[in-house]
Amino acid sequence: MFTGIFKDTSVRILITFMIVLCVLSSLVLPDWMQNNFMYGLSRGLAILGLMLLWRTNLVSFGHALYYGFGAYAVALCQKYFGITDILLRFAIAVIAAGLLGFCLGFILRKYREIFFAMLSLAFSMVLYGLLAKAEFLGSTDGMSISPSTLLGMELTRQYLFYLITFFVICAAISIQAYLRSTLGHLTTAIQDNEIRVEYLGYSVQKAIHIKYVMSACLAGGAGGLMAASLGQVDPDSMVNWNVSGELVFITIMSGWGNILAPFIGAIIFEFIRTYAFEWAPQAWAAIVGGTLLAIIFFFPGGIWSVIEKVFNYGKKKNVK
Amino acid sequence: MKIKIFNKTTKIASASMLVASCLFAGAAMAKDSVKVGVVSFLTGPAAGVFGVPAKQGAQIVIDAINNGTMPAPYNTQGFAGAKMNPVFSDESGGGTKQVGLFRDFVEKQKVDAMIGYISSGNCMAIGPIADELKMLTVFSTCGTPRLYEEKLRSHVFRTQANAVGDSLAAARYIVDMYPNEKNYTGINQNYAWGQDSYKFFELGMKQMSPDSKGSDKPQFPKLFVGQYGTEISALSLDKAKVVHSSFWNGDIEAFTLQAMVRGFFQKKIFVSSVGGSAVDALGKKFPDGIVMGTRGNVGLLARDNKDSLNLWFIGEYKKRFNALPLGPSYQYARSILAYKFAMDKAMKKAGKFPTQDQVIAAMKNIKFKSFTETISMARGGGHQAVHSVGYGLTKYNKKGKTPGAEKVKMYGPECIYPPAGTKSEDWINAGMPGAKCN
């Protein structure tokens, strides 16, 4: 599956982009930008998960379930077992969300379109209800998370950023490897014609289940990293339906052409929001919403389609 | 060639001089102005009667101090001589989003201090981050007792006493004014604030009136649900006459309107710990005779207070916003006063413009004059304020066409807050040793 993965153009572009980001942020850019990159990259993992589902025409309006589950797994492991190691945190978040996704996958893999979207929303709101009512989980106030460590050493935010970048590269490469495999190619085939895929001898439900678990793992990892980089979890900003909506929003904004697209989209979203909050504290939501409308009207393929156009412009000219 | 090089060198030299002069100007500027983030709800359901009045209260006091037009004892101009340049920001979106914004404030906007925050969840989220980033932060309104009971904070102050006192004062008022009522119940929003408020009211009632009995069916509807038909029926059928509620904002207004038409308030003694805003919003429609608190000696209960600072504040507020100041207006304005007090004190001690550490040292354990009383930062290692909390019965003033209150009782801090270093829950369960109520 991973053979020749580093010769893949998308992977090369991704790695170059991340390295440039690391170098720029450690040498030139101010600290606050690094924060935004950190949130953007973390959230980008969840977007990548949604993009995977989207390739099969499945839109999940409840991905905050895994996002929040990963974040709360990190918070609870700190509260009860004192785990603050960033490697463990990431692993715990991914595994916890993956297990939950595996269980719920048995139900969700049978549904498509609006039924899939609404059922996933329902599951996420169940978790929200539980968290908001459970006093020992901090209720709506949530829980705070102490700064991460690495193998017993304290981790500065600079190194946390490098590590997040590293996690993101690993996750994105795995997804690219999956997309290049037979199973990955199946996903677009399922989108085109499910019955034909079944006749070819593949189980559509199984393929969707696998994809769903991967997507849950990514969202869980995103939640875990977000919790570690922000230092706080609470149901309203981690599990509520509007968080799921925000994730879908960024997915649409990013476009689904490439594994790098979700991360660029998520970073741009962080910047839009930062400036919207600063310039118009009373109307920031209108600015964020207006941006989405503009993108849908003018660039239906998302930000990635713009990038593609810019880079392909020269090539097309040569062909002519 | 030589000339060219010379040109280049002069260019670089002049550019670096320009940069250097900007840097020096920046350093000098810090003494003429302080940049402070002021965060309150500007969008969403909590903006109308919490966030916006809070911002307005802060604006009045900031402008008056910047211009030196504030009455004594704050009649000196500026904060340690510097003008405050406030950056107002929105608090909505949950704790996690606010933490991100807080980091932006510190690292991007490079503020000198942060003031505000209404939601307890946001305060709990910001607290540890403020300490981590070493940013002086003064919380204005949030009420959770967990903020300092879980951990003492190095950079975080709170000029509003915690929610325990609001609930205990409510219980005291019931025991004092309605000694024969032994059964109570409650309707509170199902989230941390509502759960905590009813918990401490119940604990307080158990101690102050040992033979009283809480209903086994207190109501906990969802936050901002707006429809309370079933809850009103359930409460009406309950034999308990006293009903405690920590509803706020649109919820208290909706509940009042829906309960009123069903004759609820004639049958029950309704105790509202933060409903003061609804009294102003509904005006003469608001029923008389409701036990109303404002989380301190502020807002509705401070309308008749003749303190010169209070009279000035009410007058300025009316003039500028054509409205009366609500509880949050006082709470935010009070945080600004505490900040000025500490800045001036630190400046006097240091003999020059104080550093942040000097301001923090100066702010610890201060007693500062607020609008209706002198408030002391006597808990949480000198970081947490305590003040009196009042309750009264709502009474519409027909002559002045303004809402008001009668039979107001103020409970001093020694009556409703545990001594320093004791957890509220343990203190109440131990029978509130050392409580002094007049």
Side-chain angles (χ1 to χ4, degrees), chain B residues 162-189:
Chain B
N162 67 37
V164 174
D166 303 320
S167 293
L168 289 186
R172 284 264 175 229
Y173 193 84
I174 293 299
V175 174
D176 287 351
M177 305 294 279
Y178 306 96
N180 299 325
E181 294 305 333
K182 296 295 178 195
N183 294 306
Y184 57 89
T185 182
I187 176 163
N188 290 281
Q189 292 139 332

Side-chain angles (χ1 to χ4, degrees), chain A residues 31-32 35 39 132-133 135 139-141 144 147 157 229-230 232-234 237-238 273-275 277-278 281-282 284, chain B residues 42-43 88 90 93-97 99-101 103-104 107-109 120-121 125 128-129 132 146 190-192 195:
Chain A
D31 287 351
W32 67 270
N35 280 336
Y39 309 147
K133 281 174 185 125
E135 229 176 301
S139 184
T140 45
D141 283 357
S144 67
R157 284 185 79 75
S229 55
L230 273 166
Q232 168 76 14
V233 294
D234 71 286
S237 33
M238 289 288 194
R273 202 165 62 173
T274 306
Y275 279 107
F277 252 91
E278 203 178 311
Q282 270 158 324
W284 61 271
Chain B
L42 300 180
T43 64
F88 293 100
D90 186 12
T96 311
K97 193 186 259 175
V99 167
L101 285 171
R103 283 191 192 276
D104 266 350
E107 286 169 357
K108 177 162 181 285
Q109 307 217 38
S120 288
I129 304 296
E132 185 195 321
R146 292 195 296 141
N190 199 353
Y191 79 120
Q195 292 153 3

Side-chain angles (χ1 to χ4, degrees), chain A residues 14 17-18 21 31-49 67 157 161 164-165 167-169 218-219 221-223 225-227 229-230 246-247 250-251 253-254 259-274, chain B residues 100 104:
Chain A
L14 176 95
F17 177 81
M18 295 298 167
L21 208 60
D31 287 351
W32 67 270
M33 282 203 181
Q34 193 183 16
N35 280 336
N36 275 351
F37 290 144
M38 209 142 55
Y39 309 147
L41 291 182
S42 309
R43 209 195 298 266
L45 279 181
I47 314 295
L48 186 63
Y67 185 66
R157 284 185 79 75
F161 175 61
I164 288 180
T165 318
F167 291 143
V168 162
I169 292 176
L218 285 170
L225 291 182
M226 203 67 171
S229 55
L230 273 166
E246 209 170 79
L247 294 178
I250 308 173
T251 315
M253 198 174 98
S254 310
I259 43 165
L260 184 57
F263 301 103
I264 293 183
I267 289 174
I268 290 179
F269 177 77
E270 288 296 334
F271 277 92
I272 292 176
R273 202 165 62 173
T274 306
Chain B
D104 266 350

